Amino acid sequence: MSTDALHIPVDDLVGHTGRDRAFDGTRHVDLRLGESHIDGPMAVEGKVVGTLDGVNARFEASARINYVCNRCLVSWEDDLTAHGTQHFRIDPDEDGYAIEDGHVDVGSPAKDELALAIPATPLCQENCLGLCPTCGTDLNREPCGGHDVESDSPFAALKDLFDS
């Protein structure tokens, strides 16, 4: 069996309701949602608790994430944390996690929870103004002075219909 700290021995917990064991460890993860991504260590800590048919794992997973604002494309780093609970069974259903060779791999559900915690549309600030659609100026840093040149768009003639 692996010496990975997130592979927890649980043979002595299965069938002993309430008996528990604390754990902590790290694992490298590479997760991406849109332009935001995690590529580095994920720290996981928690506790596995025996049940009649397996063990429950309660955990907190955290990692450093590089966000990219959905409106202005500014990037920044921050910590991302997710909490989770996973039931491991000796005979899991098709969607469940199994106890294998007397161990559970808490790293897999922790990675899943961390992936679900990545926001789909991160914003650098709640009232981010984004970029000017014409010139690309970051409207959070400087105002756009307007654009005197009429668009070459074939739809420019329709502009007067909506200006009344």
Side-chain angles (χ1 to χ4, degrees), residues 150-162:
E150 283 294 319
S151 172
D152 291 336
S153 166
F155 300 105
L158 298 175
K159 179 183 174 280
D160 294 333
L161 293 175
F162 297 107

Side-chain angles (χ1 to χ4, degrees), residues 4 8 13 16-18 27-28 33-34 36-37 41 44-45 51 53 64 91 98 114 119 124 130 133 135 145-146 153:
D4 181 346
I8 316 299
L13 303 178
H16 298 280
T17 303
R27 183 174 291 170
H28 184 272
L33 181 60
S36 298
H37 67 275
V44 184
E45 63 180 39
T51 66
D53 65 344
R64 198 79 178 146
D91 298 314
L114 203 57
C124 62
C135 68
S153 166

Side-chain angles (χ1 to χ4, degrees), residues 72 128-133 135-145:
C72 70
C128 177
L129 299 173
L131 302 175
C132 172
C135 68
T137 298
D138 182 347
L139 300 174
N140 296 307
R141 296 179 186 215
E142 58 185 275
C144 181

Side-chain angles (χ1 to χ4, degrees), residues 11-156:
D11 266 348
D12 60 327
L13 303 178
V14 176
H16 298 280
T17 303
R19 189 181 288 179
D20 64 17
R21 173 172 296 117
F23 65 88
D24 65 89
T26 61
R27 183 174 291 170
H28 184 272
V29 294
D30 185 3
L31 298 168
R32 180 172 296 277
L33 181 60
E35 294 300 315
S36 298
H37 67 275
I38 299 171
D39 187 5
M42 167 185 69
V44 184
E45 63 180 39
K47 186 181 286 190
V48 287
V49 181
T51 66
L52 291 177
D53 65 344
V55 294
N56 277 330
R58 289 186 179 87
F59 56 85
E60 176 181 285
S62 59
R64 198 79 178 146
I65 183 168
N66 183 4
Y67 289 110
V68 176
C69 181
N70 197 52
R71 292 182 187 161
C72 70
L73 306 179
V74 165
S75 65
W76 74 99
E77 282 193 1
D78 203 355
D79 293 320
L80 180 65
T81 301
H83 295 78
T85 301
Q86 182 63 52
H87 187 69
F88 293 84
R89 296 177 47 170
I90 295 171
D91 298 314
D93 60 21
E94 60 197 43
D95 296 327
Y97 286 97
I99 298 172
E100 296 179 1
D101 298 325
H103 289 73
V104 295
D105 177 10
V106 180
S108 294
K111 180 181 176 182
D112 293 345
E113 290 297 329
L114 203 57
L116 291 171
I118 299 173
T121 55
L123 297 177
C124 62
Q125 56 190 349
E126 190 175 317
N127 59 348
C128 177
L129 299 173
L131 302 175
C132 172
T134 303
C135 68
T137 298
D138 182 347
L139 300 174
N140 296 307
R141 296 179 186 215
E142 58 185 275
C144 181
H147 303 281
D148 295 332
V149 179
E150 283 294 319
S151 172
D152 291 336
S153 166
F155 300 105

